[in-house]
Amino acid sequence: QEAFDEIGRMADPEATYRIVLHANAGDEKKPITTPAKIKHLTIASEEGEKQLTYSNGITLKSDVTLEDISLAPSVASSSLTLGDYVLELKDCSVAAEKKIATVSGSSTKKTSELILDNTDLYVYGTVKGIGSLTLADATLTTETDMTVGNIVNPEGTSGNIIGTATITRSQEVITKVAPKITIEGTAAIEGNGIAVTLREKLKTGFETIDFSATEANVIREMGIAFVK
């Protein structure tokens, strides 16, 4: 927090800052709000992944890169709130038994961006209002709705989206698939592609949908196969 306060006092809109963690950091009783009126902030670990602890969320007030960081929220309703900013998670993870409940931006039409670089992120609630989602050797898993503007898969990388869908059956044959994944803009697939897996929520948990028991036209109508 002292580093955040010092950066905030300087408030240089053209400056980039880098904080290096030599040990686990943060406060389980307080949320994290990044400094405002700066160009970019990087928080990175030195010599192995370090935990960043906080209470109910991280709120961006500038573009932020977390590098080799283990997110360790102390409450189940923890959120990542991007506003109109960019959050890059590079070589990051979520600490064991910790949860990310929601990820949100201000609007799919604005400048917020979530970049997952060699990072797998499991979100127990919604992903919404994100202007752009980049998957570079990364997997984004959601249990409910995902709504983003554009989706990007950089050259030389692969991506995965694991989402959910509402299923309609007739005599045990799937006749309609309504994915809870909405891409409002474009898909820029320059890499190896993004594989989309859909799951159905059952009383016993989630089950991957078996499309071998699906009418062919259902798959054509889905329109979410972002494979190059």
Side-chain angles (χ1 to χ4, degrees), residues 7 10-11 18 64 73 81 97 100 102 104 113 130 137 139 143 154 160 168 173 175 177 186 188 205 210 214-215 225:
I7 292 171
M10 290 184 280
R18 184 178 179 88
V64 173
T81 305
E97 300 182 1
I100 303 297
T102 62
S104 64
E113 183 173 358
I130 304 297
D137 294 328
T139 298
E143 286 195 0
N160 296 283
T168 301
V173 175
T175 57
V177 179
T186 61
D210 179 10
T214 304
E215 294 183 357

Side-chain angles (χ1 to χ4, degrees), residues 18-25 42-52 66-70 90-92:
R18 184 178 179 88
I19 297 173
V20 178
L21 301 185
H22 302 280
N24 295 338
T42 297
I43 303 175
S45 296
E46 182 182 58
E47 297 182 354
E49 189 178 70
K50 302 296 186 297
Q51 280 195 1
L52 185 61
L66 301 182
E67 187 174 329
D68 204 15
I69 297 291
S70 175
K90 184 177 181 180
D91 301 319
C92 290

Side-chain angles (χ1 to χ4, degrees), residues 62 79 91 113 153 206:
S62 60
S79 61
D91 301 319
E113 183 173 358
N153 173 223
F206 286 91

Side-chain angles (χ1 to χ4, degrees), residues 63-191:
D63 293 344
V64 173
T65 296
L66 301 182
E67 187 174 329
D68 204 15
I69 297 291
S70 175
L71 300 176
S74 61
V75 298
S77 59
S78 170
S79 61
L80 301 176
T81 305
L82 279 57
D84 290 332
Y85 300 102
V86 177
L87 174 62
E88 179 180 13
L89 301 180
K90 184 177 181 180
D91 301 319
C92 290
S93 67
V94 177
E97 300 182 1
K98 302 297 183 180
K99 296 181 178 181
I100 303 297
T102 62
V103 180
S104 64
S106 64
S107 169
T108 57
K109 307 298 183 184
K110 293 190 176 181
T111 56
S112 63
E113 183 173 358
L114 176 64
I115 303 172
L116 301 181
D117 183 351
N118 195 35
T119 297
D120 296 337
L121 185 64
Y122 195 114
V123 181
Y124 289 81
T126 59
V127 175
K128 62 181 182 179
I130 304 297
S132 180
L133 169 65
T134 296
L135 296 175
D137 294 328
T139 298
L140 175 62
T141 303
T142 65
E143 286 195 0
T144 58
D145 298 279
M146 184 185 89
T147 305
V148 302
N150 302 317
I151 190 164
V152 178
N153 173 223
E155 185 176 356
T157 70
S158 300
N160 296 283
I161 294 174
I162 302 175
T164 60
T166 301
I167 304 300
T168 301
R169 290 179 173 84
S170 175
Q171 297 180 348
E172 298 186 0
V173 175
I174 298 173
T175 57
K176 184 177 181 180
V177 179
K180 295 184 178 181
I181 299 173
T182 302
I183 310 298
E184 296 183 350
T186 61
I189 308 300
E190 298 178 357

